[in-house]
Amino acid sequence: MLRLGRNDLCWCGSGKKYKKCHMEKDMKIYEYEEQGYVIPHYKMLKTKEQIDGIRKSGVITKGILDMVGEKIKVGITTDEINSWVHEYTISHGGIPATLNYCGYPKSVCTSINNVICHGIPDDTVLKDGDIINVDVTTILDGYYSDASRMYIIGEASEEAKKLVRVTKECMDIGIDTVKPYGGLYDIGRAVEKHAKANGFSVVKDYGGHGVGLDIHEEPHVDHYAKHGKGMLLVPGMVFTIEPMINAGDYHCVTLEDGWTTVTKDGSLSAQWEHTLVVTENGTEIIV
Ligand code: MF3
Ligand code: CO
Ligand code: CO
């Protein structure tokens, strides 16, 4: 965190002098640094205006996930889901953030069964018993929101249904650990504990991330247990929690397309994702 002088303008953009604005709160933050927390750069703390913008973007992302839930069924292709997402986004004034992102060719990620993440929509037809993650990232007026859900197609196996349920619980438990002046690593500890208690494993190669002014920002959010406290969670931080949970082993393999990431052992994988903001009293799920 940048150390400002008492009479400098506050970093938050309020136009007030630092001593009349965030100085006291920042002094409290420096005390946490001495306890072993990593302190976020002040640029990671979103202003009220930015959070409002991310919230509006989130309305589109939520609308898309609801719409997909109503239309998805046996027999449709992942390319059709891509068209639904693309057209909904554009018609609501947004831009699909994944399209052309680092060469990614589509407006959404669709990850079926053993695909962990970044599945690319194509002519694959959804069949009875499939489980699919649809991951939507929207830009509206320059603000990014990111969320994903699982959809069960027809009648899935008991194991698949349990994986989808437990993965949602992992996300919710991770979100419940988030509190102002808590530690980032509390999330991974709680998520991994619940996954392991159910006989599942947590993917280590991918995680959540800061989001809002760009698709992927700091901090990186691990969903497995790490030693230490990690970054201090400060009001205004916006990030995703998006555990990827495997029915078998946690190892990943990325296919030749450079994106599609599957379980090494061929087991099923599930993922749920929310974007949230740390508030003075707790957490707000943005989408
Ligand atoms: N929405 C994804 C995430 O949760 C990012 C997808 S980037 C893509 O981080 F290029 F793979 F689409
Ligand atoms: Co994300
Ligand atoms: Co996402």
Side-chain angles (χ1 to χ4, degrees), residues 146-203:
D146 184 9
S148 78
R149 294 183 194 161
M150 293 300 296
Y151 302 92
I152 295 174
I153 308 303
E155 256 321 301
S157 68
E158 287 307 315
E159 191 201 33
K161 286 194 277 191
K162 179 183 169 192
L163 179 66
V164 169
R165 171 178 60 78
V166 169
T167 304
K168 169 94 168 37
E169 290 165 1
C170 283
M171 176 186 66
D172 291 337
I173 287 166
I175 292 171
D176 282 346
T177 68
V178 175
K179 53 176 195 296
Y181 310 104
L184 189 65
Y185 288 178
D186 292 343
I187 299 168
R189 260 189 294 276
V191 168
E192 181 159 8
K193 187 170 170 220
H194 191 62
K196 277 194 169 162
N198 283 282
F200 300 144
S201 68
V202 179
V203 169

Side-chain angles (χ1 to χ4, degrees), residues 5-257:
R6 298 171 56 80
N7 292 314
D8 289 339
L9 285 181
C10 190
W11 54 263
C12 76
S14 64
K16 290 186 213 161
K17 284 188 178 174
Y18 187 46
K19 67 184 177 193
K20 295 254 155 119
C21 195
H22 273 84
M23 190 175 88
E24 211 169 302
K25 272 185 195 150
D26 288 358
M27 292 303 146
K28 190 173 150 195
I29 289 171
Y30 298 140
E31 284 170 26
Y32 285 100
E33 193 166 24
E34 273 145 39
Q35 295 171 31
Y37 289 92
V38 175
I39 304 306
H41 193 279
Y42 73 93
K43 284 182 182 161
M44 254 184 249
L45 311 181
K46 265 76 178 176
T47 64
K48 192 186 163 304
E49 186 192 356
Q50 290 169 336
I51 293 166
D52 284 344
I54 302 165
R55 244 191 236 110
K56 281 187 192 144
S57 169
V59 171
I60 298 180
T61 298
K62 180 183 184 306
I64 291 170
L65 292 169
D66 289 345
M67 176 266 296
V68 169
E70 281 163 25
K71 293 169 70 156
I72 199 165
K73 60 172 198 274
V74 174
I76 63 123
T77 66
T78 48
D79 259 340
E80 286 174 80
I81 299 173
N82 184 68
S83 300
W84 301 341
V85 173
H86 188 86
E87 277 150 33
Y88 187 108
T89 306
I90 300 298
S91 69
H92 287 76
I95 300 167
T98 62
L99 186 59
N100 301 320
Y101 168 71
C102 297
Y104 186 82
K106 299 279 174 159
S107 299
V108 64
C109 297
T110 50
S111 303
I112 303 173
N113 297 336
N114 64 318
V115 180
I116 295 170
C117 63
H118 304 164
I120 304 172
D122 60 11
D123 58 5
T124 303
V125 178
L126 293 183
K127 55 184 197 311
D128 190 48
D130 282 344
I131 58 170
I132 179 174
N133 173 274
V134 177
D135 191 340
V136 175
T137 318
T138 307
I139 314 171
L140 180 69
D141 301 331
Y143 294 110
Y144 291 69
S145 61
D146 184 9
S148 78
R149 294 183 194 161
M150 293 300 296
Y151 302 92
I152 295 174
I153 308 303
E155 256 321 301
S157 68
E158 287 307 315
E159 191 201 33
K161 286 194 277 191
K162 179 183 169 192
L163 179 66
V164 169
R165 171 178 60 78
V166 169
T167 304
K168 169 94 168 37
E169 290 165 1
C170 283
M171 176 186 66
D172 291 337
I173 287 166
I175 292 171
D176 282 346
T177 68
V178 175
K179 53 176 195 296
Y181 310 104
L184 189 65
Y185 288 178
D186 292 343
I187 299 168
R189 260 189 294 276
V191 168
E192 181 159 8
K193 187 170 170 220
H194 191 62
K196 277 194 169 162
N198 283 282
F200 300 144
S201 68
V202 179
V203 169
K204 297 188 180 192
D205 292 359
Y206 298 88
H209 49 91
V211 67
L213 309 182
D214 203 343
I215 184 166
H216 292 140
E217 303 175 352
E218 283 195 278
H220 178 78
V221 180
D222 283 307
H223 301 105
Y224 61 95
K226 295 179 85 166
H227 291 294
K229 293 174 169 160
M231 190 174 281
L232 184 72
L233 300 177
V234 176
M237 286 173 71
V238 176
F239 57 87
T240 70
I241 294 186
E242 50 179 306
M244 283 147 268
I245 307 295
N246 295 352
D249 175 87
Y250 71 87
H251 286 99
C252 307
V253 178
T254 298
L255 305 185
E256 309 80 76
D257 62 21

